[in-house]
Amino acid sequence: MEGAYTWRYWQERAIAAGDPLALLQLAVEEQQSPQQQRAAVDAAARSGDPEVYYTLGLWLPTLGVGLTEAVGWQLVACELGYDCRMDNPRVGMGCLEAGYCTSGQTVAEKLRDEVGFGPLARAQARADAIVAELKAGRVPRVELDSGMRKVPLAC
């Protein structure tokens, strides 16, 4: 299609506009400096957008952040209204079609089945703390418990 803009064109516009998802993607895919990664993570935390929080939770492990923190942000997204059922293609990522999950199953239920109650309880406690910060009008700081390392995005 002549005259159509490329994906990269729109990505550059989103980055220039400060879109938190675009900044986060850039930080992960371009393996930016720890300072740039921190800025992108902070922008995502300030966004107030459950979809951004869910994506942040997905990408935090690629930045060297522990799973309790990462899953905590995913659970925050769910609590704030993001569709966290495996039926959502961004959540299930094909698991329904492959038979690895069931229709209507939530992220929390899937995690409980895979890792047990202990890790899920720790992630839920972190999610509760994040939600409390948000309700108090504060921007929660993402705990970079194992530092930010440069790891290529796997998907």
Side-chain angles (χ1 to χ4, degrees), residues 16-85:
D19 178 81
L21 283 176
L23 293 172
L24 192 57
Q25 184 174 6
L26 179 70
V28 172
E29 290 182 352
E30 299 295 326
Q31 297 185 4
Q32 292 183 318
S33 72
Q35 295 79 15
Q36 290 168 309
Q37 291 176 348
R38 170 91 256 171
V41 166
D42 288 347
R46 282 191 310 273
S47 73
D49 183 341
E51 181 180 9
V52 173
Y53 294 161
Y54 189 82
T55 304
L56 175 64
L58 288 178
W59 286 357
L60 282 174
T62 67
L63 298 174
V65 175
L67 290 177
T68 296
E69 181 75 5
V71 173
W73 280 93
Q74 289 177 320
L75 295 175
V76 166
C78 303
E79 288 181 33
L80 297 179
Y82 189 68
D83 179 5
C84 289
R85 294 172 301 130

Side-chain angles (χ1 to χ4, degrees), residues 47-143:
S47 73
D49 183 341
E51 181 180 9
V52 173
Y53 294 161
Y54 189 82
T55 304
L56 175 64
L58 288 178
W59 286 357
L60 282 174
T62 67
L63 298 174
V65 175
L67 290 177
T68 296
E69 181 75 5
V71 173
W73 280 93
Q74 289 177 320
L75 295 175
V76 166
C78 303
E79 288 181 33
L80 297 179
Y82 189 68
D83 179 5
C84 289
R85 294 172 301 130
M86 293 296 132
D87 304 80
N88 179 346
R90 289 203 20 102
V91 173
M93 298 183 198
C95 71
L96 285 174
E97 296 79 8
Y100 300 127
C101 61
T102 58
S103 179
Q105 187 178 30
T106 65
V107 167
E109 293 165 344
K110 181 78 170 144
L111 287 169
R112 182 198 61 224
D113 293 347
E114 290 184 0
V115 299
F117 287 105
L120 179 58
R122 287 189 292 279
Q124 185 61 60
R126 178 60 184 139
D128 293 344
I130 293 168
V131 169
E133 289 286 308
L134 291 169
K135 286 183 177 179
R138 295 186 294 270
V139 176
R141 184 146 169 92
V142 177
E143 295 179 9

